[in-house]
Amino acid sequence: MRRIYILLFLLFSISAFSQKDIQFTNTPLSEVLIELEAIYAVKFSYNSTFVEQKQVNLQLEKASLSEILKRLEQELNVVFDKIDERYYILKVKKELTICGYLKDGLDNTSIDGATISNSAQTKGSISDTNGYFSLKNISLSDTLLISFLGYKTLSIPASRFKEEHCETYVLSASSYLLNEVVVQEYLASGILKTQDGSIKINPKNLDILSGLSEPDILQNIQLLPGIESPTETASGLYIRGGSPDQNLILWDGIKMYNSDHFFGMISAFNPYITSDVKVSRSGTKAEYGDRVSGVIDIKTDNTIPSKTEGGFGLNMTHADAYLKIPLSEKVGVLVSGRRSITDIIQTPVFNNLSEQVFQNSSITENQNFFDPEFSESDELFNFHDVTLKLIANLSEKDRLVISNLITKNKLDYTFQDTQFDISSSDKLDIKNFGTNLTWNRNWNDRFSSKAQFYYSDYDFNYLGDNIFSTESVVTAKTNSIKELGASLLTDWKLNEHLTLSNGYQFFSNQVAYLLQYDDFIQNDDQTSPTHALYSQLNFNKPKQWYIDLGLRGSYYSGQNAVFLEPRIYAERILSDNFRLKASGEIKNQAISQIIEFTTQDFGLENQVWALSSEADIPILKSGQFSAGLLYSNNGWNLDIDGYYKSIDGLTSITRGFESAEDNLSEGTSTSTGIDFLLKKKFNNYSTWIGYTYSTTNFLFDDLNQGNSFRGNNDITHSLTWSHAYKWKGFQFSLGWKYRSGIPFSQASGFVDNEDETFIEYEEINAETLPAYHRADFSALYKFQLSKKPNSPVGKFGFSLLNVYGRRNQLSKNFGLFNVTDENNDTTVELGQIDRFSLRTTPNFVFRLEF
């Protein structure tokens, strides 16, 4: 027992001796070190010149030697390097300025918004759009932590960084992200294949694609198998047999009823502020409703920048600029604008696009019919879009986002012939305004919610007069949609594998249109509130199963109708490289476009939005089933997907068939097909082939003797072969597109008598146009304006559409024309109206981003 008391006494004595009250006031460091050597029986080695320059002010109670040395390191910017229990070396603490670039480990894209923090300090930095970051006053003994949502946190000792040299650091996706993304580079960098069957496009990280000198959201989508634009427009997208008005297009949660500029040639959405575009061809989630075909969900940037960022650019049709401005650490603003330059300068690109757009319209006919010596015209055309977005992180759990979008297209055309003293005019305005407020809250690690309120306002106005009328005949067309919507969505993670999503959606459409020509007037004005409830269960067991099982119920109060829409998407993971997939879905749609013929002499925009009604426009109903496989390994990607889609509730006024039968008829469409994609990447070179075989058939009881016939845009074969190559700061892309010709109805003659005049047709859509094919080329050079880190980045781009100049025939129609002979006798003749593709069209772009 005595020995134990002695041992405890010795331990207490050592402890009491090792902890001492310390007080130094303006004491030279050399004297402090001598005193510490005496108290703690240690020895310090140091440079005497350096030590003489340092003064110590330190007060500590019952401090150990390690606590004292740590405080001295912090106060004097020095380092005590411990050799053993007795000897220490005192060194000057070197401070570094470090920098670097962050890349995604799978697709090598830049990571924007990652947090870089010093574990020894409270300050940090955030990577910019190029993945660049920098930190000052870093000690060699510090450790840097790099973190970003969905990626594994990277811990790097400061000693690994090289001063004045910015290395690239790679972040690996966390297991959650790896489960979500199946193929990181589906067609090119910036195009991802996700596990729920959709395709995600990130325009910011997108490689250059053939025919495009810069990203165009709706043009990029057309490269996916199963998506066609027979009219060569950006907005005329037919997804697996569905027409463009059957696609749901969302911009930050706002339904879009006009998605283009320049009569469809350019997307109305600025790609430089877009974070990602989600495209679903089938197997859509239950939260998406009121459309029976594909889904295009566009989301703009939601990050709050650490400093002001921006960019501007100019091509041969328009100019654009954007700014991302941090108002504080928790609030940021995003603003952008694009405007056409066509009313300032008419470039070769504008002339080619105008020729393609205005062919067979009153504008072109006037120029061809009248003598240019005695006629003159004035054409004012422009378009613009503006976005304004506020992002506020209200707390660690709450985020508020307010998004606004305005798009406008304007045409003011006048024509006058002095020889015959006649004139005409065409005035067209298309406006779309949308605003959305979204509140996201993460209640805890397992439960989150999203509340949205949005308003969308679409206005279409056309006013024109007929140059050939003896009296003033005014043609007018208006179409407006005012939509107010709200929704509440929740996600509840039940366990490691199960997530339950529930939601309520409300939207009210007020849809009106007016068609007026001479004594003919047709108008409609309806309001139809819609309520929808949905529930979706997601089962995700990594490397085995991924299943989305959903049910959506919608009540269309305008038609007093209730519809249930079951949805399922399933994927069986057989190995790391091989997967099987299948989907099924039922959808309904209460608003669609109808064909109107009163403004055909203008030749543009002859469709109007209308609500379903019991009288003549039924609610559209569709069912789609698909199954396929996916293989990915060693740079090879193979994706095969077969599908079947049927749509009920089509009418002859919504599809606009060329037929002598003018009675209203209701029918169905059936589309079957297989989409095939094969891609291989070899280092800096990649090539891919996309092929679709499909058929679309219509069946109307009152048309074509009750026999089925080919759909208006039935394309049996479609093939795309693309190549991409990167070399230093250059990117090159070459692509070739081939597709079967679309069908048309051949005219056999016409009837002209006192009672009526009409064209007689043979079997509907029994003839086929010649095959379509063209080659496109693009090149891009990216460079930094200086060697300084974070310097502005410049881009030069060039594209060439239709390299070998083939004039593809896009459509063939027929019309009746008054022909005056040399005796001034007027007769009616049957004429052919052909529409051709775009000529060889070069484009240039210059951009600067900072």
Side-chain angles (χ1 to χ4, degrees):
M1 180 65 71
R2 184 179 179 183
R3 294 179 179 178
I4 294 176
Y5 282 125
I6 294 173
L7 179 61
L8 292 175
F9 175 78
L10 291 174
L11 291 174
F12 175 79
S13 301
I14 294 172
S15 175
F17 180 74
S18 62
Q19 292 184 338
K20 185 177 178 60
D21 293 342
I22 298 295
Q23 183 172 353
F24 298 110
T25 304
N26 293 327
T27 305
L29 178 59
S30 58
E31 296 182 11
V32 172
L33 295 176
I34 292 173
E35 185 171 342
L36 293 177
E37 287 177 339
I39 296 174
Y40 295 99
V42 294
K43 190 67 176 177
F44 296 101
S45 297
Y46 50 82
N47 185 318
S48 59
T49 304
F50 164 73
V51 169
E52 290 175 357
Q53 299 173 354
K54 298 290 184 178
Q55 299 287 324
V56 177
N57 291 280
L58 187 63
Q59 292 183 0
L60 292 173
E61 295 181 358
K62 296 181 180 180
S64 64
L65 177 61
S66 61
E67 291 175 332
I68 297 171
L69 297 183
K70 185 176 182 179
R71 284 292 300 274
L72 289 175
E73 287 179 337
Q74 295 173 350
E75 298 292 334
L76 303 177
N77 199 30
V78 297
V79 176
F80 288 94
D81 192 0
K82 186 176 181 179
I83 304 303
D84 55 31
E85 295 299 324
R86 177 174 172 81
Y87 290 97
Y88 291 82
I89 298 177
L90 176 60
K91 300 178 180 179
V92 179
K93 185 178 181 180
K94 184 179 180 181
E95 291 187 342
L96 303 174
T97 296
I98 63 172
C99 61
Y101 293 89
L102 300 181
K103 297 287 186 180
D104 186 295
L106 290 177
D107 64 1
N108 202 39
T109 57
S110 301
I111 297 179
D112 178 13
T115 300
I116 302 92
S117 60
N118 186 347
S119 60
Q121 300 177 7
T122 58
K123 295 183 179 180
S125 179
I126 296 178
S127 60
D128 63 15
T129 54
N130 299 313
Y132 174 80
F133 68 90
S134 65
L135 284 174
K136 297 180 180 179
N137 303 325
I138 303 299
S139 171
L140 284 172
S141 61
D142 292 340
T143 299
L144 277 298
L145 299 177
I146 303 175
S147 59
F148 189 60
L149 181 64
Y151 292 81
K152 296 178 181 178
T153 298
L154 197 63
S155 178
I156 306 176
S159 57
R160 283 181 50 189
F161 288 86
K162 298 178 181 179
E163 198 166 18
E164 298 181 355
H165 184 69
C166 300
E167 298 279 353
T168 297
Y169 301 91
V170 177
L171 294 187
S172 300
S174 66
S175 59
Y176 169 78
L177 187 61
L178 289 173
N179 289 335
E180 181 185 356
V181 177
V182 176
V183 181
Q184 281 283 345
E185 188 173 311
Y186 187 65
L187 295 182
S189 294
I191 302 180
L192 316 176
K193 175 80 171 181
T194 63
Q195 198 165 19
D196 64 4
S198 65
I199 307 295
K200 275 191 177 181
I201 301 175
N202 185 338
K204 186 187 305 181
N205 297 321
L206 189 63
D207 285 345
I208 194 169
L209 299 174
S210 58
L212 299 174
S213 53
E214 56 183 343
D216 183 289
I217 290 174
L218 299 183
Q219 292 281 8
N220 294 336
I221 293 172
Q222 297 177 28
L223 295 175
L224 300 174
I227 301 180
E228 299 287 348
S229 178
T231 57
E232 283 193 333
T233 59
S235 57
L237 301 180
Y238 288 77
I239 300 180
R240 291 185 169 177
S243 58
D245 64 310
Q246 295 168 0
N247 298 324
L248 176 63
I249 301 180
L250 299 173
W251 184 90
D252 271 0
I254 306 169
K255 288 183 188 176
M256 302 305 300
Y257 293 93
N258 178 65
S259 58
D260 61 70
H261 290 312
F262 211 151
F263 303 99
M265 303 306 295
I266 300 170
S267 301
F269 313 111
N270 191 335
Y272 297 105
I273 61 168
T274 301
S275 60
D276 64 73
V277 182
K278 182 178 180 180
V279 182
S280 298
R281 294 168 291 182
S282 62
T284 52
K285 294 182 179 294
E287 67 178 287
Y288 298 112
D290 202 38
R291 295 295 187 275
V292 296
S293 194
V295 175
I296 303 170
D297 192 355
I298 304 166
K299 290 183 172 62
T300 57
D301 198 342
N302 265 342
T303 59
I304 299 175
S306 59
K307 61 179 181 178
T308 300
E309 303 172 7
F312 61 88
L314 176 69
N315 62 25
M316 305 291 279
T317 57
H318 62 272
D320 79 278
Y322 72 90
L323 280 174
K324 301 176 184 178
I325 306 171
L327 302 182
S328 69
E329 291 184 357
K330 294 186 176 182
V331 181
V333 172
L334 170 62
V335 60
S336 75
R338 295 192 301 172
R339 191 190 187 282
S340 61
I341 61 173
T342 54
D343 52 348
I344 301 173
I345 179 174
Q346 294 189 358
T347 64
V349 177
F350 170 74
N351 292 333
N352 281 8
L353 292 178
S354 296
E355 179 187 0
Q356 208 268 2
V357 166
F358 296 125
Q359 60 181 306
N360 302 324
S361 69
S362 59
I363 295 175
T364 306
E365 294 303 317
N366 290 342
Q367 297 172 351
N368 295 336
F369 187 82
F370 293 95
D371 189 342
E373 183 179 351
F374 300 100
S375 61
E376 58 183 24
S377 63
D378 185 14
E379 179 182 329
L380 174 64
F381 171 73
N382 60 66
F383 62 82
H384 69 262
D385 58 71
V386 178
T387 63
L388 177 61
K389 186 170 186 176
L390 174 71
I391 308 116
N393 293 332
L394 304 179
S395 69
E396 293 182 357
K397 295 184 177 182
D398 298 275
R399 165 173 284 196
L400 180 68
V401 178
I402 303 175
S403 302
N404 301 275
L405 171 66
I406 300 174
T407 70
K408 184 175 181 180
N409 289 262
K410 181 180 180 64
L411 173 67
D412 190 348
Y413 170 78
T414 59
F415 179 85
Q416 185 174 10
D417 187 89
T418 57
Q419 184 178 14
F420 297 100
D421 192 24
I422 55 177
S423 64
S424 70
S425 66
D426 294 289
K427 300 180 185 297
L428 178 66
D429 282 287
I430 306 174
K431 303 175 185 177
N432 211 145
F433 166 75
T435 184
N436 176 285
L437 184 149
T438 301
W439 171 40
N440 290 281
R441 178 172 175 82
N442 294 321
W443 298 87
N444 52 49
D445 294 338
R446 304 172 69 90
F447 189 80
S448 63
S449 64
K450 180 172 69 173
Q452 289 191 100
F453 305 90
Y454 76 88
Y455 175 72
S456 180
D457 189 352
Y458 166 76
D459 275 302
F460 176 100
N461 289 279
Y462 169 74
L463 185 66
D465 56 29
N466 194 325
I467 195 171
F468 296 103
S469 300
T470 55
E471 300 178 0
S472 178
V473 176
V474 176
T475 300
K477 178 169 63 173
T478 64
N479 192 197
S480 68
I481 303 173
K482 301 184 186 305
E483 180 168 306
L484 181 66
S487 64
L488 176 62
L489 316 175
T490 64
D491 287 317
W492 182 17
K493 191 171 182 61
L494 302 176
N495 56 42
E496 182 182 359
H497 303 298
L498 289 174
T499 301
L500 179 64
S501 301
N502 296 288
Y504 165 74
Q505 297 172 346
F506 165 82
F507 56 91
S508 179
N509 288 320
Q510 181 183 357
V511 183
Y513 68 85
L514 168 68
L515 308 175
Q516 180 178 351
Y517 180 78
D518 196 9
D519 295 330
F520 172 84
I521 296 179
Q522 180 180 346
N523 64 302
D524 189 29
D525 190 342
Q526 296 186 60
T527 300
S528 178
T530 299
H531 303 266
L533 290 170
Y534 81 83
S535 185
Q536 182 155 313
L537 184 66
N538 171 255
F539 174 74
N540 187 2
K541 192 170 185 180
K543 297 186 178 182
Q544 292 189 34
W545 282 99
Y546 179 95
I547 301 174
D548 274 327
L549 183 63
L551 179 65
R552 180 184 179 90
S554 299
Y555 171 63
Y556 296 99
S557 59
Q559 294 77 25
N560 193 26
V562 177
F563 296 97
L564 293 179
E565 303 176 359
R567 316 274 180 89
I568 185 172
Y569 179 85
E571 193 172 89
R572 179 70 170 107
I573 297 93
L574 301 179
S575 68
D576 291 338
N577 311 118
F578 191 71
R579 301 164 181 262
L580 297 178
K581 55 184 178 176
S583 70
E585 61 185 14
I586 293 176
K587 296 180 178 180
N588 297 277
Q589 180 173 338
I591 182 173
S592 56
Q593 289 182 327
I594 63 173
I595 308 293
E596 58 82 20
F597 299 97
T598 59
T599 57
Q600 284 282 4
D601 54 348
F602 175 53
L604 294 170
E605 304 291 343
N606 66 320
Q607 291 181 315
V608 296
W609 288 95
L611 278 171
S612 299
S613 62
E614 296 181 3
D616 50 11
I617 307 177
I619 291 178
L620 295 175
K621 306 172 186 177
S622 78
Q624 182 175 192
F625 306 93
S626 68
L629 59 89
L630 182 68
Y631 175 81
S632 179
N633 186 34
N634 194 30
W636 286 96
N637 292 336
L638 174 65
D639 191 356
I640 302 176
D641 203 23
Y643 63 89
Y644 169 87
K645 178 195 286 186
S646 65
I647 301 177
D648 297 332
L650 298 177
T651 67
S652 52
I653 63 171
T654 59
R655 296 302 91 209
F657 304 114
E658 299 241 348
S659 170
E661 305 167 73
D662 58 359
N663 55 309
L664 178 65
S665 181
E666 184 177 336
T668 64
S669 74
T670 301
S671 299
T672 58
I674 183 168
D675 295 332
F676 172 90
L677 174 71
L678 179 64
K679 175 179 178 290
K680 172 61 178 174
K681 185 173 183 179
F682 307 88
N683 297 321
N684 293 331
Y685 167 75
S686 62
T687 181
W688 55 270
I689 295 176
Y691 170 73
T692 296
Y693 172 83
S694 68
T695 61
T696 298
N697 291 302
F698 289 159
L699 180 61
F700 287 74
D701 292 338
D702 300 326
L703 295 178
N704 206 47
Q705 291 82 47
N707 298 318
S708 65
F709 55 91
R710 293 176 63 190
N712 288 359
N713 292 284
D714 175 54
I715 297 174
T716 307
H717 303 281
S718 179
L719 174 70
T720 303
W721 187 16
S722 291
H723 309 265
Y725 179 71
K726 295 180 182 179
W727 178 69
K728 296 184 177 180
F730 291 91
Q731 293 183 32
F732 304 94
S733 181
L734 176 66
W736 184 67
K737 173 76 174 182
Y738 169 89
R739 67 169 182 252
S740 305
I742 64 172
F744 70 95
S745 301
Q746 178 66 47
S748 58
F750 67 95
V751 174
D752 182 19
N753 53 45
E754 296 180 356
D755 297 329
E756 56 184 346
T757 301
F758 61 89
I759 301 174
E760 294 182 313
Y761 290 92
E762 298 176 2
E763 184 179 349
I764 298 177
N765 289 344
E767 303 296 327
T768 303
L769 293 177
Y772 174 105
H773 58 86
R774 80 178 196 209
D776 301 323
F777 173 77
S778 296
L780 178 71
Y781 175 61
K782 184 178 179 179
F783 59 94
Q784 284 190 286
L785 296 187
S786 71
K787 294 183 178 180
K788 295 181 179 180
N790 209 26
S791 64
V793 175
K795 296 178 182 179
F796 280 112
F798 168 74
S799 64
L800 188 63
L801 286 169
N802 198 1
V803 173
Y804 49 81
R806 176 178 168 85
R807 293 287 280 169
N808 293 288
Q809 189 171 1
L810 301 180
S811 67
K812 178 186 289 189
N813 302 101
F814 298 90
L816 298 176
F817 301 92
N818 292 325
V819 178
T820 303
D821 60 20
E822 57 185 14
N823 297 323
N824 288 327
D825 293 330
T826 301
T827 58
V828 176
E829 292 186 2
L830 177 67
Q832 182 173 306
I833 305 171
D834 295 322
R835 187 176 182 85
F836 291 94
S837 65
L838 196 66
R839 297 180 183 273
T840 300
T841 303
N843 198 359
F844 297 88
V845 63
F846 170 73
R847 293 201 61 79
L848 191 63
E849 296 179 344
F850 55 90

